[in-house]
Amino acid sequence: MAGKPKGARGSSLLRVLTQREAATAELPASDRMPCPGLWKTPVIRWDGELMACCADVDNEIPIGSLRNATFDELWFGEAMTELRLLHIEGRFEEIPKCWSCGGINFYKLEPGEVRAYLDEVGRPELYAVYEKRMGITG
């Protein structure tokens, strides 16, 4: 087998900086979209831990164990809601892994999905922040 294996560090679909790169990297642009993985790709580890992200192999963003809670309690719970709101606001630097990640780029989160989510969690006022950050008009 020749070449680098595809995966979190070997694929252009998800780019996570190495420790050396992260030490000198600038923070991500303020117009970076929220990671759709926080809404669309739950990751369950072999031990039953629900992960917010497939690139978080070190469990730096713990969500919880499916041995102690249901999937819905975790995936729609406080920890995931906080992560999603931070992404919507563009505060990636407050989350381990997220600030040094280029994000998943093979699908995206549409503005209507963001608006609906903010309505659902009772934070519709944050849509104006998202709209401005992303340069959305109308």
Side-chain angles (χ1 to χ4, degrees):
M1 183 167 91
K4 195 174 192 179
K6 297 296 182 197
R9 296 194 193 286
S11 172
S12 62
L13 296 178
L14 176 65
R15 174 77 170 109
V16 180
L17 301 180
T18 65
Q19 285 185 333
R20 179 178 289 169
E21 290 169 328
T24 59
E26 294 181 27
L27 293 177
S30 63
D31 63 349
R32 177 179 152 197
M33 76 171 185
C35 180
L38 295 178
W39 282 265
K40 300 179 179 188
T41 57
V43 177
I44 301 171
R45 278 192 340 191
W46 64 271
D47 60 359
E49 289 293 317
L50 179 63
M51 311 298 292
C53 173
C54 61
D56 185 20
V57 295
D58 300 319
N59 198 19
E60 293 181 55
I61 314 169
I63 302 304
S65 173
L66 293 171
R67 287 181 265 146
N68 303 324
T70 68
F71 176 84
D72 282 1
E73 288 170 336
L74 296 174
W75 192 243
F76 302 107
E78 188 176 320
M80 285 301 297
T81 298
E82 180 64 21
L83 291 174
R84 291 174 181 131
L85 294 177
L86 288 170
H87 268 239
I88 288 169
E89 293 179 88
R91 295 165 51 195
F92 303 101
E93 72 280 359
E94 295 181 36
I95 309 166
K97 296 286 187 200
C98 295
W99 77 270
S100 64
C101 181
I104 296 173
N105 62 14
F106 50 91
Y107 60 99
K108 66 181 188 173
L109 196 62
E110 297 293 337
E113 292 175 289
V114 173
R115 182 187 296 267
Y117 178 75
L118 290 170
D119 288 344
E120 183 181 312
V121 297
R123 298 295 307 272
E125 76 281 1
L126 289 182
Y127 191 75
V129 172
Y130 172 77
E131 223 173 12
K132 181 178 180 184
R133 203 172 67 67
M134 299 301 295
I136 298 170
T137 57

